[in-house]
Amino acid sequence: NKHVKDLGLISEQISRSDITSNYQAYFQDTNLKHFSSDVLGYVTPWNNHGYTIAKLFARKFNYISPVWYQVRLETGSSGKISVRLTGGHDVDQNWIAEIRKNSQVAGVSQTKIVPRFLVEVTKAEYYVNLASNSKLQKGVIKKIVDEIKTQKFDGFVLEMTEAWPVVAQAKASLRSKLNDFVEDLADSVHDLEPRKEIILVARPATEEQSSKNTYFKGSDFSSLVNAIDKVSLMTYDFPSNGPGPNAPIGWVNECILEFLGNTVYAPNADDLSKKVLVGLNFYGKDVAFDGQMRHVLGHDVIKILDEQSPQPHYWDPGMFEHYFQYSLDVHDPRTNQVRNEVHVVYYPTLKSISSRLELASNLTTGISIWEL
């Protein structure tokens, strides 16, 4: 019956017991939402707990995106490119009904179900074909629109981040054609009754990286800003092999500003920034001093804390994230000896999450969580 703020848990100074004693607890009012902008939560078939979280806290989410579908561009029996939609077997209409019921206000559901459709290709050049072949575009649009209508979704998330660099490398002029395809797809979805939404996944880049960035970027966003409803910006997986957080807060800030570009000074800047959902990672990474790295989820961190009892948790003031160290005795088969292996674990805490929510609030963006 007490909020984490009242318990003093949103702090730079935290202990192992602060986490192990509270990680399964939550505030009794599951409808209370402090963050005023839009929130999207991704749910994956390989993490059933995410489905439970989405139902329990449905009112906190404007969008729930189950990662279900693949739009496969592949070589058909005739040798031509065919379009095949897979993943429909994961659809759970009972779960969708529960979310819609749990998120109701005055009888109207507040949470929109927008499954992710991932465009996959068997050959990279098929992205080029998608940008230039109107018949192929119509085939992809029909597959997605028909599925949205059949399943009565509220829209969808489109992910094809690799398409832009492949197309740009093949022929720069085709980049605008790829954006035209996205706009046509958006128009087809918007024409449905009731109107459906399209959210586009985009990889981020800082100002320094932007000149070399061939992924979907701020200039593409400007050309599509009136066509798409939201952009899910992947501000996690900071490019680094060494110890460190997935998303240093300074890097996140730079990526947002670079993506918004000149629109931050436009008269309708708040309306534009509200279309951006800043990525928030609910996972961390465990890096050994020899360079080996693995991503870790909450249960992995709890296991490490229980078995290794590392002390203390350090606050990184430059990255705005906590980390801790632990060591393992590892058998080295090359020397047939046991060596001590030191690890550094960065994982989101209440303080680091709160800092990123504050950044998003200041920039009037929403957030997208990978994953619940």
Side-chain angles (χ1 to χ4, degrees):
N1 61 1
K2 286 188 176 182
H3 192 270
V4 288
K5 291 182 179 178
D6 300 325
L7 295 172
L9 295 174
I10 305 179
S11 173
E12 296 176 9
Q13 306 298 322
I14 61 171
S15 65
R16 170 181 168 273
S17 62
D18 286 335
I19 297 174
T20 57
S21 300
N22 295 286
Y23 76 97
Q24 291 181 310
Y26 54 87
F27 188 57
Q28 60 186 358
D29 184 357
T30 57
N31 293 329
L32 184 64
K33 181 184 174 187
H34 291 281
F35 186 73
S36 59
S37 296
D38 286 343
V39 178
L40 179 151
Y42 287 102
V43 178
T44 61
W46 52 85
N47 178 16
N48 287 331
H49 186 58
Y51 287 86
T52 302
I53 294 296
K55 289 190 297 184
L56 180 61
F57 300 102
R59 287 271 294 275
K60 292 180 180 288
F61 301 103
N62 302 87
Y63 303 93
I64 291 292
S65 181
V67 178
W68 282 338
Y69 289 101
Q70 304 81 40
V71 182
R72 302 185 186 275
L73 306 185
E74 53 195 17
T75 307
S77 56
S78 65
K80 296 182 178 180
I81 305 173
S82 65
V83 182
R84 186 165 63 97
L85 184 67
T86 60
H89 62 279
D90 283 319
V91 177
D92 186 341
Q93 287 292 347
N94 292 329
W95 173 75
I96 291 174
E98 285 191 71
I99 288 183
R100 286 175 170 158
K101 178 183 176 182
N102 294 349
S103 68
Q104 285 185 359
V105 175
V108 179
S109 174
Q110 304 299 302
T111 304
K112 297 176 181 179
I113 306 299
V114 288
R116 188 192 72 173
F117 285 68
L118 174 65
V119 177
E120 295 184 339
V121 297
T122 53
K123 295 180 181 178
E125 64 252 35
Y126 287 174
Y127 285 130
V128 179
N129 292 99
L130 181 61
S132 58
N133 187 320
S134 60
K135 185 177 180 180
L136 181 60
Q137 292 175 2
K138 289 176 182 177
V140 171
I141 291 172
K142 185 176 185 340
K143 289 285 187 184
I144 294 175
V145 170
D146 285 352
E147 188 69 7
I148 291 173
K149 288 167 60 177
T150 299
Q151 301 290 358
K152 296 180 171 59
F153 296 138
D154 301 299
F156 76 110
V157 173
L158 175 66
E159 180 171 350
M160 54 175 196
T161 56
E162 298 301 321
W164 277 271
V166 170
V167 167
Q169 184 176 11
K171 192 175 182 181
S173 62
L174 283 179
R175 190 180 189 91
S176 62
K177 297 294 184 183
L178 191 62
N179 289 342
D180 290 342
F181 158 68
V182 174
E183 185 170 357
D184 290 342
L185 175 55
D187 289 343
S188 298
V189 172
H190 291 157
D191 286 343
L192 295 174
E193 292 290 343
R195 182 186 184 277
K196 310 298 182 181
E197 295 192 33
I198 175 172
I199 299 173
L200 185 65
V201 177
R203 289 197 178 188
T206 63
E207 182 178 4
E208 182 181 352
Q209 299 166 329
S210 187
S211 61
K212 303 175 183 177
N213 177 35
T214 55
Y215 288 98
F216 185 90
K217 51 187 176 181
S219 57
D220 300 299
F221 175 57
S222 296
S223 68
L224 286 172
V225 71
N226 294 320
I228 56 180
D229 296 281
K230 305 284 181 184
V231 172
S232 179
L233 192 60
M234 299 169 65
T235 43
Y236 34 75
D237 285 341
F238 175 68
S240 170
N241 294 323
N246 290 78
I249 197 164
W251 174 76
V252 174
N253 182 60
E254 287 182 39
C255 289
I256 298 170
L257 294 178
E258 174 58 29
F259 190 76
L260 290 173
N262 292 331
T263 63
V264 296
Y265 305 109
N268 59 338
D270 283 357
D271 293 334
L272 297 176
S273 60
K274 285 176 181 176
K275 286 198 169 193
V276 177
L277 304 174
V278 176
L280 188 62
N281 57 290
F282 273 17
Y283 61 90
K285 61 182 180 181
D286 178 344
V287 183
F289 270 28
D290 64 0
Q292 295 185 63
M293 189 272 285
R294 65 170 180 139
H295 285 113
V296 287
L297 301 178
H299 62 84
D300 299 312
V301 174
I302 294 301
K303 183 179 180 181
I304 294 170
L305 293 176
D306 284 341
E307 294 180 355
Q308 306 300 326
S309 301
Q311 290 285 359
H313 277 68
Y314 299 98
W315 175 253
D316 188 327
M319 306 297 184
F320 275 59
E321 195 157 321
H322 283 100
Y323 67 94
F324 64 86
Q325 297 182 4
Y326 72 96
S327 59
L328 292 173
D329 289 333
V330 179
H331 176 258
D332 189 336
R334 295 170 298 179
T335 62
N336 200 30
Q337 294 181 341
V338 175
R339 58 182 173 83
N340 187 258
E341 185 176 81
V342 179
H343 290 243
V344 178
V345 177
Y346 274 82
Y347 191 82
T349 58
L350 293 172
K351 179 63 177 176
S352 69
I353 293 171
S354 177
S355 300
R356 283 151 181 77
L357 291 177
E358 183 179 355
L359 173 63
S361 293
N362 291 339
L363 295 174
T364 65
T365 71
I367 61 167
S368 54
I369 301 169
W370 185 276
E371 57 176 298
L372 300 185

